[in-house]
Amino acid sequence: MVRVIVGTQWGDEAKGRAIQLLGKNADVVARYNGGANAGHTIYLQGEKLIFHLVPSGIIYPYTICIIGNGVALDPEQLISEINTLKSKGIEFGKRLFLSDKAHLVMPYHKITDDKDNIIETTKRGIGPCYEDKYARRGIRVADLLYPKIFKEKLSLNLKKYPSLNLNEVYEKYIGFGKFLAPFVADTSRLLNQFIDDGKEVLLEGAHGFLLDIDHGTYPFVTSSNPQAGSACTGLGIGPTKIDEVIGVMKSYTSRVGKGPLPTRLSPELEEKVREKGEEYGATTGRPRRCGWLDAYLVGKAIKSNDIKKIIITKLDVLSSLSEIKICKEYKYQNVPSIFSIPELISKFEPVYETLPGWRTEISHITKYSNLPKETKNYVERISELLNVKIIAICVGPEKENTIYL
Ligand code: IMP
């Protein structure tokens, strides 16, 4: 069985939780897009772990993890994550594989990333790394294994950055190459072999659908495709290998960086939700803007990714609210789609449905039937509006705080 996990909002849907839930039965977890601009937070025996590049499946001792060719790879970050995880007792053995074709984030990418703060990126060099990839001057993981070729490519690229010293960057990256060499593989061949052998495979998309460079709120997006189809190009497998796409949806909306968020909460409610939901960027620590659940935009993600099942996360965060709104649609005119001119989205009027809140803690509840009737009402309305099956609801940060349906 091959499943893709996709975030249905602007990232930070707690996809790490979803991988943690589904990953315990997975033989392989593979990441197909983005880079260290993404952050997965996992709570493991009460300890908070943040991953940026290593697929979160690594917490399971027998799960094989793959970082695909579609990832923009910052080698320094990856090495630091590997070392941190090792120090927490996580064994790597021969179970982390890194695509030889993944493009490297170089020091000059970080210097040039969103210099004028137009998008408010994470400044991890991701956009400029993909720019070089598509301009066909990128440097890839395999180049690190061939010092002469690496030096030639590096010196060509560094011509534009006289402040950077060729030998310094060269030595540093050759050192990274030596560390990473045992992990480098033809991951497309490996993954296809695992799939042909009937392994349970999870393909993990970073960020969220509304940040997709093609389908999201362009230009306020990331530089890769979180969309499920990108799992094929970002890992080198055929589309017919994918059995299903599972969406992850937070019970409300959040957004970090610039770009429209039409369902944004009033300042008092936003503060309440941000504090309870710990809505601060896992990568940058920036406070996230928070909004009501936007079922209209999530609906776009459901359609464009062919999502049939979703996992709802952080439902407990809404517990203290007396009423809860869902945006069902927008009043907008004269544009082919809401994404045509995202700069106009904030001018479109959301149409809300208001439901009563449950005003009681739900984190301890493990059976759906034991949830307050208002909570069930909210969940069932979401399922109805989106026409999807809800397979799990997260009601707290630990993996025990989960209700399976
Ligand atoms: P970049 O991906 O660093 O280029 O940033 C582009 C936009 O995407 C910025 O608004 C970021 O805040 C946002 N972004 C990128 N990755 C994530 C993520 O994993 N969660 C939430 N927002 C993200």
Side-chain angles (χ1 to χ4, degrees):
M1 181 87 161
V2 180
R3 290 184 286 187
V4 187
I5 309 277
V6 179
T8 58
Q9 295 153 307
W10 280 289
D12 309 316
E13 299 91 353
K15 286 180 294 295
R17 270 304 294 286
I19 310 279
Q20 196 176 26
L21 299 181
L22 300 168
K24 62 177 184 290
N25 300 319
D27 300 303
V28 182
V29 177
R31 164 97 180 260
Y32 60 82
N33 74 306
N37 47 349
H40 303 306
T41 308
I42 296 250
Y43 290 84
L44 194 64
Q45 285 135 22
E47 193 177 0
K48 187 174 176 178
L49 299 178
I50 297 180
F51 299 82
H52 297 281
L53 283 166
V54 175
S56 28
I58 204 79
I59 58 170
Y60 295 108
Y62 303 108
T63 304
I64 287 169
C65 291
I66 292 177
I67 299 178
N69 56 279
V71 171
L73 190 105
D74 179 341
E76 190 164 18
Q77 173 67 36
L78 178 61
I79 292 168
S80 134
E81 276 179 41
I82 293 173
N83 285 334
T84 308
L85 288 164
K86 277 186 177 166
S87 75
K88 305 263 177 241
I90 289 178
E91 295 286 339
F92 279 76
K94 200 74 192 121
R95 65 190 192 96
L96 175 68
F97 297 96
L98 172 59
S99 170
D100 54 341
K101 301 194 210 82
H103 279 251
L104 293 172
V105 173
M106 303 300 293
Y108 43 88
H109 293 145
K110 292 185 195 167
I111 302 171
T112 51
D113 191 355
D114 198 21
K115 245 173 139 180
D116 301 322
N117 231 16
I118 290 167
I119 308 294
E120 285 182 6
T121 69
T122 59
K123 309 264 193 270
R124 296 299 184 108
I126 306 305
C129 175
Y130 285 119
E131 273 178 54
D132 280 355
K133 170 175 176 172
Y134 290 103
R136 285 153 297 174
R137 55 174 175 253
I139 303 181
R140 305 194 295 179
V141 166
D143 294 319
L144 292 178
L145 310 181
Y146 297 91
K148 199 164 164 280
I149 295 174
F150 174 66
K151 197 164 198 173
E152 277 164 21
K153 292 188 178 177
L154 181 64
S155 61
L156 265 181
N157 276 285
L158 281 187
K159 280 196 176 126
K160 280 189 286 168
Y161 306 99
S163 64
L164 293 173
N165 180 286
L166 173 65
N167 281 333
E168 261 173 40
V169 180
Y170 170 80
E171 292 299 337
K172 198 170 164 191
Y173 271 68
I174 288 298
F176 296 154
K178 283 192 183 130
F179 184 101
L180 293 175
F183 301 102
V184 181
D186 176 351
T187 49
S188 162
R189 189 185 61 80
L190 265 181
L191 185 56
N192 277 294
Q193 189 61 57
F194 289 134
I195 295 172
D196 291 346
D197 291 346
K199 302 278 188 211
E200 278 295 322
V201 176
L202 277 188
L203 311 179
E204 177 183 348
H207 323 299
F209 177 73
L210 302 176
L211 285 172
D212 187 285
I213 185 125
D214 284 285
H215 301 286
T217 48
Y218 189 93
F220 306 106
V221 291
T222 192
S223 304
S224 65
N225 293 104
Q227 203 263 356
S230 171
C232 298
T233 49
L235 286 161
I237 58 166
T240 51
K241 300 275 182 189
I242 295 174
D243 295 294
E244 66 177 10
V245 184
I246 297 181
V248 185
M249 188 198 80
K250 193 151 64 179
S251 59
Y252 52 97
T253 307
S254 71
R255 180 152 208 188
V256 62
K258 280 197 185 147
L261 173 55
T263 65
R264 190 167 184 183
L265 296 169
S266 65
E268 308 83 79
L269 275 182
E270 181 177 62
E271 188 57 25
K272 216 170 174 177
V273 168
R274 184 186 291 137
E275 287 313 307
K276 174 104 199 249
E278 292 186 42
E279 293 295 349
Y280 295 91
T283 304
T284 57
R286 291 176 289 177
R288 297 175 186 144
R289 287 177 281 155
C290 301
W292 297 116
L293 175 63
D294 194 329
Y296 181 78
L297 292 185
V298 173
K300 299 272 176 200
I302 303 277
K303 272 278 165 252
S304 304
N305 290 280
D306 194 22
I307 293 168
K308 301 272 186 343
K309 297 174 180 169
I310 61 169
I311 295 175
I312 298 183
T313 59
K314 298 178 108 170
L315 190 59
D316 54 305
V317 173
L318 302 181
S319 289
S320 64
L321 307 184
S322 52
E323 55 177 35
I324 299 174
K325 292 185 183 184
I326 306 178
C327 169
K328 291 195 300 190
E329 57 182 319
Y330 283 89
K331 286 187 191 151
Y332 68 92
Q333 290 147 9
N334 300 330
V335 283
S337 95
I338 195 161
F339 295 125
S340 303
I341 311 281
E343 291 87 342
L344 293 182
I345 293 181
S346 48
K347 303 218 168 23
F348 301 145
E349 196 189 325
V351 179
Y352 289 111
E353 180 168 317
T354 305
L355 303 175
W358 46 94
R359 308 207 69 171
T360 178
E361 277 307 325
I362 54 170
S363 296
H364 58 286
I365 297 176
T366 51
K367 267 176 85 177
Y368 185 72
S369 55
N370 292 341
L371 282 172
K373 78 172 185 319
E374 293 83 359
T375 322
K376 287 191 274 196
N377 200 12
Y378 185 59
V379 170
E380 280 152 31
R381 189 66 185 125
I382 292 169
S383 167
E384 212 169 70
L385 282 170
L386 298 174
N387 193 23
V388 284
K389 186 173 159 47
I390 293 161
I391 56 170
I393 304 170
C394 302
V395 289
E398 294 286 342
K399 73 175 187 301
E400 294 71 34
N401 307 131
T402 308
I403 298 171
Y404 294 93
L405 283 89

